[in-house]
Amino acid sequence: MINAVLVFNNSGQPRLTKFYTQLETSVQQRLISEIFTLVANRPNSSCNFLPLPPLLANSSKSTTPGAQHNDTPSLVTYRHYATLYFIVISTSTESPLALLDFIQVFVEALDRLFENVCELDLIFNFETLHATLGEMIVGGVVVETGLDKVVEGVRSQGKVAKRPVNESKGGLTLSGFGRGEVPWAGR
Amino acid sequence: MFEKSLYDLIRGLRNHKGGEREYIQESIRECRKEIRGSDMDLKATALLKLTYLEMFGHDMSWASFHVLEVISSQKFAQKRVGYLAAVQSFRQDTEVLMLAENQLKKDLTSPSLTTISLPLIAVPHVINPSMANSLLSDILPRLTHSSPLIRKKTIVTLYRLALVYPETLRPAWPRIKERLQDENENPSVTAAVVNVICELGWRRPQDFLPLAPRLFDLLVQGGNNWMAIKIIKLFATLTPLEPRLVKKLLPPLTNIIKTTPAMSLLYECIHGIIQGGILASIEGTVEGDEIAKLCVGKLRSMLVIEGDPNLKYVSLLAFESIVSSHPQLVSLHQDVILECIDDPDISIRTRALDLVVGLVSPDNLVSIIARLMRQLRNAPIESALADPENDRGYHGGVVPYADSDDSEAEESLRPAEIRSDQAPPLPEDYRINVIRRIIEMCARDTYANINDFDWYIDVLVQLVRVCPSVKGTTGAMEYTGGGHSLTSDDISYDIGRELRNVAVRVKSVRPEVTEAAQSLVLVDTRDKMFTVSGNGGQGVLEAAAWIVGEYANLATNPQAVMTSLLHPSTINLPNQTLATFIQAVPKVFAHLSGSDSISWTPERKTIVSLLVARVIHFLEPLAMHPDLEVQERAVEYLELMRLSSEAASAQETGDTHGDFADPPLLLTQAIPSLFMGMELNPVAPGAQKRVTPPDQLDLDAPINNSLQSLLRQAEYDSALGSDVEDEVSRAYYEKPSTRPEPVAAADRLEQPKSEYTSYQRSAEEEYLDPDIVARRKAERRERHKDDPFYIPAEGSGTSTPNVLRTNNGEEVDIDSIPIMDLDLSQAGQIRDRSPGPAPPKQKTRRNFEILTDENLGSEDVSSLESARPELVLPRSSAKGKKALLQLDSSGLGSLSLDEDGDHVSKLDIERREQEEAEMAKAIKEVERMRLEMQRANERIEAKHLPPEGTVVKRKKKKPKAKVEGNDTPTVDEGGEAIVVKKKKKAKKPVEGTDALVEGAADGEPDAKPKKKKKRRLISLDEPSGS
């Protein structure tokens, strides 16, 4: 299952935090900053999988291998779009490559909703950001990966607000984020 | 309206660059005021702002009651804010949850789709067992909601209910199954069910075997790669239980591998084949070889594909899971895998590192290690800035400072890619991991891969230098008894242990190891041996000190070693290391002063006296050391040294030129014999357990029948101070009837203890009483003949290792390697037994003789398995702590989804439903029975009459066959469930399992319904005929 979805920007400021297990706020913040440290030092040519951050590595080491194995978060997947990092922490029941696609769908859905999405949209409409994620993941389990259905689901909850007019700036440039044209598209 | 307010907050943050903290505090104060008001709009807005700030680490747990208020709002937009706040801020200990139940129930039954969704999404975040119980009755009906949107979310929510309260799965499971079996179901819902089953699957795979046909159909139909991936993952857990699935799955999986354009699906297919043990189960067959080759070939091409590090990463993952079962297959691709060790990407490197450990062989060991050593040496030590503990957020909350409007400015914050000639700094844990892996690879199978031990010693010494420094241990360890657990995390201790292992096991390189240890211990050369920055590698000193002590005779410069051991800086070492240093001191001293062939001249007397004085000077302050181990050793050796001092000064010196004068016996005989009597050999960790207690030793027999009352008596005596009130107190305190059996006292004594003392008593006596050591030396030798952990120095003649070496030179005659016969079958005669030769077990490699662990009896696999990892990496034991973020699903493991057996506790909903269902069931059953009777009669007419007694059984079983074959899936489920229940009660357990196996067999997906029915009837008739 998916344990957490995080979005933060290039300087480590959170834009979305969603933990599918209850976690102390301070621990949440520490985890975010640990992951940011890991992710910020990676060149663009690196792969999209992170080693486990110390917080998770220590706790997963302590559990006995085998029985507990599938319950422990073991995979940190991320994608970097313009100014934002999208991170998914998951257990081994998720497929690493499919998660990359999942993030892509998430961003595409946001792009569809906001028409050329950029970080500012997400800052000012973080409720919509949560609603979009809520259409895709419930309780750590993926419920929808179809772009149209996700967008439809969010729109049914009400009009998606536009960013304030005077705040406009370049979007996340969906077509241009490095390896955006996923060759292994899982859809 | 509220968007504007959140907007204001965010804008405000931007306008208060530098003063965010104050601004936020101010805003939170405002929110507190607004949220208490009666204006719902204001309340919701304040809550949204708080939720926004919560994201940055600002506590809002105080607002939990207001969250509920906003949830109960009539407006959807406000309700949504409330639910979002609940999801983001409620924690395990949030107390208002109980109050929320009614609201949740109300929203779950709302006519509006969007409103139902809100609690469905929120419930997984806030659920607790009691809530799960009461909400179940409201959530369950949503499974048949007309909108697929609601249905798919409900399925997942039910899964999360089951995680906190497994029993809820019992009523929910049949309905979820229904969703899966329904072929007209919306594909999104089916996919959601598959996702949930994939999560449940690995816990109780046996419950999901019956679903295999449907899942198989879904897999073959294709169309949804996301779902296919999950199905393959699920099948990987099912195949070990049902080997027949393998044959079934192979063609479609092979087909997918060959045709799919989706890399993720391709990868998961290969991964599933490996994970599900499919490769192993068809090994040897033509098909098996083919599929193995296909998989590995695809993995290789993923590895070499240019420019996609992700594929590299996952293919290494897959190789890793294949390497334990098919090392030869993987080693074919060594060339590309080894390249990945030097990949610039640390994630890929780590994977490759884990992988090569499984690939290592004598031929490639040196080149692999060389690669890794190069990495360690060339990369600079990571700077303190990159240390996660220095990171903001570690010490306190993160302050969201103003967002930059300028994208260029943000862009520039990104660290430039490091592409200079210098390698990027290696993270510390990676460094530690590399060192650990190097040791693991070299030490595998007692150095089976190592051809050149001189090389290995050099590697180890080099590793000491690249050890990362250890943070903040010295201060904390100095005065705490728990220093051990702290230090054992330090990788340099592992290096030290390795050095010691080599010294003990490989006699031919012992001088070289001692030399290396000496250079580590010497204060003068220490600067060169350890890392310049930090205190990395210090842990190796412990083992080094042991080596120079134990093999002091091999040290090239014992004087200097002694000086270093006694150096004032020694006192600052960690306790454990300090204790080892103290132990090494008398050993070196014995070597320096113990010669009995040199005349006791005044010159020698002076030298010895001076040496003794130095040692005493060193030990005296340590006799007061807070650490008990250090203190005890210091005190003991201090006394020994004082005796030596007396002996040295008392002994008459001889003439410098004249006759030979005897040196004091204490120096030449007693002290050396403390340390040099026997060779220390490696002992298998399991050996102690195999020592069988002597027959005469009855560990259950009470030592003293009245021990209990004696102890009790002693307690009272000390507690009361006098026995005046004895009678009275006894009446009050002593429980006359419940007094434990006297036997219990003996039971409580640790059993191994008694054995231990029986073996070690002699040695302890000597330590305690050094004066009589010389006198009892002969006696002791006699005794040690019986000690399984010592090889006698004299006696059988062939068994002295030194003799062996000088006799045979470097070429060791395997047959003459001394092996103690430790067969303790006649444990009773242990004292009288003398050692005899046993067939040698160890192999020699080239000219190196490597001692294996001594063990008792035959080496069985289990003891070896447990022994090996410990040998190299005695890591700190696992803590029972639950992993962070982990969602514990272990509760599901014990829940049976079979509807048999009596449920201890019924859920509310179950009880209610049961009553209704029972009525309906009864009616259905009657109807079915009637039909069945009719058919049975027809069949009886056609066939022979079966024996009387089995008619009942057949009646019970047949409905199942009929229903499964003919009816629509929906009815099918209900019918099957009932029948299984009935059948279980009527039949003997053996037959029950038979029927289950048959059921699974019939579940094979290709069977057409009609055919299935026929087969089933046959298989069911068989047991009744027999």
Side-chain angles (χ1 to χ4, degrees):
Chain A
M1 65 173 283
I2 291 169
N3 301 92
V5 178
L6 306 171
V7 179
F8 46 70
N9 72 0
N10 286 342
S11 42
Q13 293 180 328
R15 293 294 173 235
L16 168 82
T17 58
K18 186 72 95 183
F19 293 89
Y20 292 98
T21 39
Q22 291 171 337
L23 207 60
E24 280 307 308
T25 311
S26 57
V27 186
Q28 288 182 358
Q29 293 298 323
R30 210 175 132 193
L31 191 63
I32 294 171
S33 93
E34 278 188 3
I35 292 179
F36 173 68
T37 316
L38 285 174
V39 92
N41 289 322
R42 293 174 70 81
N44 272 344
S45 58
S46 329
C47 71
N48 293 26
F49 307 103
L50 291 179
L52 283 181
L55 262 181
L56 294 179
N58 291 338
S59 50
S60 66
K61 212 192 288 168
S62 68
T63 52
T64 47
Q68 293 288 309
H69 177 67
N70 279 346
D71 272 344
T72 22
S74 59
L75 195 63
V76 184
T77 314
Y78 78 98
R79 284 191 89 134
H80 189 197
Y81 295 98
T83 62
L84 291 179
Y85 287 101
F86 288 72
I87 283 105
V88 175
I89 305 173
S90 66
T91 65
S92 60
T93 50
E94 299 294 332
S95 159
L97 293 177
L99 282 180
L100 288 175
D101 289 347
F102 178 84
I103 298 175
Q104 174 78 10
V105 175
F106 183 41
V107 175
E108 277 178 28
L110 292 172
D111 194 52
R112 189 86 71 86
L113 287 164
F114 289 109
E115 289 161 23
N116 195 13
V117 67
C118 73
E119 188 184 341
L120 277 176
D121 293 320
L122 307 185
I123 297 172
F124 286 106
N125 297 294
F126 91 122
E127 249 198 300
T128 311
L129 191 57
H130 279 284
T132 314
L133 190 61
E135 288 299 309
M136 298 181 74
I137 304 178
V138 172
V141 179
V142 177
V143 289
E144 187 56 72
T145 47
L147 182 57
D148 295 328
K149 284 181 182 158
V150 174
V151 173
E152 189 189 316
V154 179
R155 286 201 174 131
S156 72
Q157 295 184 26
K159 195 172 170 291
V160 175
K162 288 276 157 289
R163 78 189 78 111
V165 193
N166 55 339
E167 301 275 356
S168 63
K169 71 162 193 176
L172 286 179
T173 53
L174 257 182
S175 51
F177 20 76
R179 299 178 301 282
E181 54 286 19
V182 226
W184 58 84
R187 282 147 287 133
Chain B
M1 188 67 136
F2 61 81
E3 258 114 354
K4 186 139 191 332
S5 303
L6 178 64
Y7 172 80
D8 286 343
L9 175 77
I10 297 167
R11 287 252 32 131
L13 273 172
R14 292 160 164 249
N15 294 335
H16 287 77
K17 256 195 167 83
E20 294 93 351
R21 200 177 278 276
E22 292 75 27
Y23 182 77
I24 289 171
Q25 290 311 322
E26 171 76 33
S27 306
I28 291 180
R29 260 196 301 279
E30 279 169 26
C31 289
R32 267 182 196 274
K33 221 175 288 166
E34 289 167 10
I35 212 164
R36 292 214 178 94
S38 55
D39 183 348
M40 206 41 142
D41 279 338
L42 216 54
K43 217 187 252 293
T45 310
L47 193 62
L48 186 63
K49 285 189 282 187
L50 285 174
T51 313
Y52 182 80
L53 292 175
E54 199 273 345
M55 180 163 69
F56 297 93
H58 296 279
D59 177 58
M60 61 171 287
S61 55
W62 53 270
S64 54
F65 183 74
H66 304 291
V67 171
L68 294 190
E69 285 181 329
V70 177
I71 286 180
S72 65
S73 162
Q74 295 302 313
K75 292 185 188 160
F76 172 77
Q78 291 173 352
K79 207 183 257 305
R80 188 167 82 161
V81 171
Y83 274 110
L84 178 60
V87 164
Q88 298 298 99
S89 73
F90 280 10
R91 303 282 181 263
Q92 235 109 42
D93 51 356
T94 304
E95 282 164 2
V96 298
L97 271 178
M98 302 303 289
L99 303 172
E101 264 180 47
N102 279 334
Q103 189 60 43
L104 287 174
K105 281 168 182 282
K106 205 171 140 200
D107 287 341
L108 278 170
T109 46
S110 156
S112 154
L113 286 187
T114 46
T115 308
I116 300 179
S117 281
L118 292 179
L120 279 182
I121 293 174
V123 159
H125 293 263
V126 299
I127 196 75
N128 60 35
S130 70
M131 235 173 122
N133 193 5
S134 83
L135 282 182
L136 183 65
S137 55
D138 300 285
I139 296 177
L140 211 46
R142 298 285 85 79
L143 261 186
T144 45
H145 196 275
S146 58
S147 164
L149 209 68
I150 301 300
R151 289 204 296 273
K152 69 186 180 195
K153 286 174 185 165
T154 306
I155 286 160
V156 178
T157 309
L158 283 172
Y159 159 68
R160 291 295 298 253
L161 290 195
L163 283 184
V164 295
Y165 193 31
E167 280 75 18
T168 57
L169 198 56
R170 224 183 299 119
W173 175 242
R175 308 248 194 135
I176 295 178
K177 211 156 60 173
E178 223 167 79
R179 292 295 105 221
L180 180 70
Q181 302 284 11
D182 187 351
E183 287 178 25
N184 300 319
E185 181 54 280
N186 184 299
S188 290
V189 181
T190 313
V193 179
V194 169
N195 282 349
V196 165
I197 292 178
C198 184
E199 296 295 334
L200 287 171
W202 63 274
R203 271 284 176 202
R204 293 188 59 81
Q206 65 275 23
D207 288 343
F208 300 94
L209 273 179
L211 295 179
R214 171 68 176 150
L215 291 171
F216 187 83
D217 287 344
L218 287 172
L219 179 64
V220 177
Q221 279 165 19
N224 185 344
N225 287 348
W226 302 91
M227 195 165 75
I229 286 172
K230 288 289 185 171
I231 293 176
I232 290 168
K233 274 190 170 288
L234 182 59
F235 271 130
T237 60
L238 294 185
T239 41
L241 290 175
E242 179 51 274
R244 276 172 294 184
L245 269 176
V246 172
K247 228 176 170 185
K248 200 82 199 125
L249 280 173
L250 264 187
L253 287 185
T254 320
N255 186 37
I256 293 174
I257 291 177
K258 284 178 177 156
T259 60
T260 182
M263 204 57 101
S264 54
L265 186 55
L266 167 65
Y267 167 71
E268 288 303 331
C269 272
I270 298 172
H271 193 251
I273 285 175
I274 298 167
Q275 214 59 28
I278 295 180
L279 270 192
S281 66
I282 53 168
E283 204 178 3
T285 61
V286 183
E287 255 186 316
D289 292 346
E290 210 169 89
I291 194 92
K293 231 175 267 165
L294 180 66
C295 287
V296 178
K298 287 280 180 192
L299 285 179
R300 184 192 168 99
S301 49
M302 285 167 109
L303 207 54
V304 293
I305 255 181
E306 274 306 308
D308 199 333
N310 291 326
L311 295 183
K312 231 181 211 178
Y313 181 89
V314 290
S315 67
L316 285 174
L317 268 184
F319 268 128
E320 204 181 321
S321 46
I322 219 174
V323 75
S324 54
S325 58
H326 297 71
Q328 74 290 353
L329 259 182
V330 181
S331 58
L332 287 178
H333 304 283
Q334 248 185 60
D335 48 340
V336 281
I337 293 168
L338 289 186
E339 281 309 309
C340 294
I341 294 185
D342 287 331
D343 198 279
D345 186 346
I346 206 92
S347 300
I348 292 177
R349 264 195 209 184
T350 314
R351 287 276 80 81
L353 182 62
D354 291 348
L355 180 54
V356 290
V357 172
L359 279 181
V360 72
S361 71
D363 302 325
N364 61 19
L365 177 80
V366 175
S367 67
I368 291 178
I369 303 281
R371 267 176 198 268
L372 294 172
M373 295 296 287
R374 220 173 294 135
Q375 274 183 27
L376 289 173
R377 270 195 60 188
N378 296 343
I381 301 271
E382 207 175 32
S383 66
L385 271 176
D387 190 333
E389 296 202 4
N390 291 342
D391 203 65
R392 79 202 169 81
Y394 180 77
H395 300 291
V398 178
V399 179
Y401 45 89
D403 298 293
S404 157
D405 286 1
D406 188 10
S407 66
E408 259 85 280
E410 290 199 9
E411 217 64 55
S412 68
L413 285 174
R414 285 171 53 189
E417 280 186 38
I418 305 159
R419 276 288 164 271
S420 60
D421 287 342
Q422 202 188 26
L426 295 175
E428 205 156 88
D429 45 355
Y430 175 75
R431 218 171 244 281
I432 292 172
N433 198 17
V434 169
I435 296 174
R436 193 162 276 157
R437 294 301 193 181
I438 289 177
I439 294 175
E440 188 183 338
M441 282 188 270
C442 291
R444 164 151 325 154
D445 297 331
T446 326
Y447 308 114
N449 291 324
I450 292 189
N451 293 328
D452 182 357
F453 275 95
D454 292 328
W455 168 82
Y456 187 41
I457 295 165
D458 290 342
V459 166
L460 288 175
V461 172
Q462 179 66 46
L463 282 181
V464 174
R465 286 183 214 186
V466 294
C467 259
S469 56
V470 197
K471 279 162 279 174
T473 44
T474 36
M477 272 178 349
E478 204 57 58
Y479 295 107
T480 54
H484 177 71
S485 61
L486 270 170
T487 54
S488 57
D489 282 342
D490 185 355
I491 188 70
S492 55
Y493 283 85
D494 290 339
I495 302 173
R497 267 187 284 267
E498 253 332 270
L499 269 179
R500 190 177 56 195
N501 249 331
V502 173
V504 172
R505 287 174 191 272
V506 193
K507 285 186 188 133
S508 53
V509 292
R510 204 170 275 166
E512 286 78 11
V513 183
T514 314
E515 180 70 34
Q518 178 181 298
S519 62
L520 287 167
V521 169
L522 289 186
V523 173
D524 307 343
T525 55
R526 254 186 230 175
D527 287 349
K528 273 181 275 167
M529 300 304 291
F530 293 97
T531 37
V532 190
S533 67
N535 57 348
Q538 297 287 330
V540 82
L541 282 178
E542 187 184 327
W546 184 86
I547 293 169
V548 291
E550 187 63 25
Y551 306 116
N553 54 328
L554 297 174
T556 50
N557 194 352
Q559 304 280 357
V561 168
M562 193 60 150
T563 311
S564 294
L565 290 177
L566 300 179
H567 195 266
S569 66
T570 303
I571 297 176
N572 301 326
L573 291 169
N575 294 337
Q576 217 187 332
T577 312
L578 181 53
T580 319
F581 267 61
I582 293 173
Q583 188 78 23
V585 165
K587 290 181 185 171
V588 181
F589 173 80
H591 173 68
L592 286 174
S593 65
S595 167
D596 54 1
S597 55
I598 301 171
S599 177
W600 187 247
T601 59
E603 188 192 359
R604 186 176 173 196
K605 184 176 175 177
T606 319
I607 292 175
V608 169
S609 303
L610 186 63
L611 191 57
V612 170
R614 282 170 64 202
V615 175
I616 290 176
H617 176 73
F618 170 71
L619 289 177
E620 255 170 353
L622 293 176
M624 306 287 280
H625 197 274
D627 185 76
L628 283 181
E629 183 68 26
V630 172
Q631 194 188 87
E632 185 186 359
R633 291 186 191 191
V635 168
E636 283 176 5
Y637 293 131
L638 195 56
E639 285 311 309
L640 190 58
M641 285 300 143
R642 283 181 179 143
L643 285 170
S644 308
S645 174
E646 277 171 33
S649 55
Q651 188 81 358
E652 286 296 317
T653 58
D655 203 327
T656 325
H657 309 289
D659 297 331
F660 185 85
D662 285 332
L665 275 178
L666 181 67
L667 290 182
T668 58
Q669 300 278 316
I671 294 182
S673 72
L674 281 178
F675 305 111
M676 292 170 184
M678 307 292 164
E679 184 92 359
L680 289 177
N681 286 328
V683 176
Q688 182 67 47
K689 279 190 199 136
R690 288 158 175 261
V691 178
T692 46
D695 286 340
Q696 296 96 324
L697 181 63
D698 183 4
L699 291 172
D700 294 328
I703 293 169
N704 184 341
N705 278 323
S706 51
L707 181 63
Q708 273 301 316
S709 55
L710 283 175
L711 287 174
R712 205 177 297 270
Q713 189 61 47
E715 234 166 64
Y716 288 136
D717 288 352
S718 60
L720 298 171
S722 69
D723 33 28
V724 179
E725 301 166 87
D726 233 0
E727 290 298 319
V728 185
S729 70
R730 195 169 289 157
Y732 278 110
Y733 292 106
E734 203 169 22
K735 297 173 202 156
S737 57
T738 59
R739 211 170 78 178
E741 290 294 311
V743 188
D747 284 341
R748 275 182 222 160
L749 296 173
E750 277 182 54
Q751 300 200 358
K753 265 255 164 76
S754 57
E755 271 173 37
Y756 178 73
T757 46
S758 80
Y759 285 120
Q760 300 294 329
R761 198 190 313 129
S762 54
E764 272 177 21
E765 275 169 11
E766 285 160 12
Y767 283 134
L768 293 171
D769 217 3
D771 270 345
I772 56 167
V773 163
R775 190 164 45 78
R776 298 181 61 180
K777 196 177 172 191
E779 277 174 51
R780 203 199 63 213
R781 263 204 214 107
E782 199 57 37
R783 269 202 308 278
H784 271 178
K785 259 203 287 186
D786 302 325
D787 194 324
F789 300 121
Y790 284 91
I791 294 177
E794 48 202 77
S796 54
T798 56
S799 56
T800 310
N802 286 333
V803 172
L804 183 77
R805 232 178 103 206
T806 47
N807 284 350
N808 295 335
E810 294 297 321
E811 297 301 328
V812 173
D813 180 5
I814 296 178
D815 290 327
S816 64
I817 291 169
I819 300 285
M820 292 280 297
D821 181 9
L822 296 176
D823 177 24
L824 292 185
S825 52
Q826 328 113 338
Q829 289 86 44
I830 192 164
R831 293 267 154 198
D832 312 321
R833 202 173 37 82
S834 57
K841 288 173 212 136
Q842 69 224 63
K843 292 174 187 165
T844 50
R845 302 193 47 76
R846 312 270 158 99
N847 50 355
F848 291 104
E849 173 207 346
I850 305 167
L851 289 183
T852 53
D853 292 334
E854 287 188 359
N855 209 342
L856 292 170
S858 61
E859 302 197 5
D860 69 24
V861 186
S862 65
S863 79
L864 273 182
E865 271 172 0
S866 68
R868 283 302 154 211
E870 280 172 49
L871 178 71
V872 190
L873 305 167
R875 294 198 205 142
S876 54
S877 60
K879 299 154 217 156
K881 217 180 87 188
K882 194 178 123 185
L884 199 67
L885 277 180
Q886 180 184 328
L887 193 62
D888 190 19
S889 68
S890 53
L892 291 174
S894 51
L895 176 79
S896 170
L897 286 178
D898 294 336
E899 300 209 354
D900 60 341
D902 298 317
H903 307 316
V904 183
S905 63
K906 295 260 181 205
L907 299 174
D908 293 348
I909 182 167
E910 277 185 311
R911 230 175 280 131
R912 234 177 297 134
E913 276 184 356
Q914 201 185 15
E915 286 159 19
E916 293 164 23
E918 248 161 34
M919 202 60 192
K921 273 179 191 172
I923 295 170
K924 268 188 194 167
E925 187 69 359
V926 168
E927 182 65 16
R928 216 172 267 125
M929 292 288 264
R930 197 185 56 79
L931 258 170
E932 203 38 51
M933 295 271 267
Q934 209 175 314
R935 292 197 176 197
N937 282 338
E938 288 163 16
R939 217 175 298 132
I940 287 165
E941 281 167 27
K943 281 173 148 195
H944 298 296
L945 275 172
E948 265 304 292
T950 59
V951 172
V952 178
K953 267 185 210 162
R954 286 180 58 203
K955 266 186 205 160
K956 295 284 184 195
K957 277 183 230 153
K958 269 170 217 148
K960 181 183 177 188
K962 184 212 125 206
V963 170
E964 282 214 337
N966 295 339
D967 288 9
T968 59
T970 342
V971 182
D972 176 17
E973 292 311 314
E976 190 185 2
I978 301 156
V979 176
V980 170
K981 199 172 173 182
K982 284 263 175 185
K983 187 179 68 191
K984 277 278 159 72
K985 281 175 188 161
K987 285 177 66 179
K988 287 175 210 149
V990 182
E991 282 168 326
T993 50
D994 279 346
L996 279 184
V997 172
E998 280 154 15
D1002 290 342
E1004 282 194 38
D1006 61 339
K1008 303 280 183 294
K1010 274 184 184 170
K1011 205 176 154 194
K1012 203 161 136 193
K1013 184 189 161 195
K1014 256 187 190 166
R1015 262 211 289 161
R1016 185 177 295 273
L1017 281 174
I1018 292 163
S1019 69
L1020 285 174
D1021 279 344
E1022 273 164 5
S1024 57
S1026 62

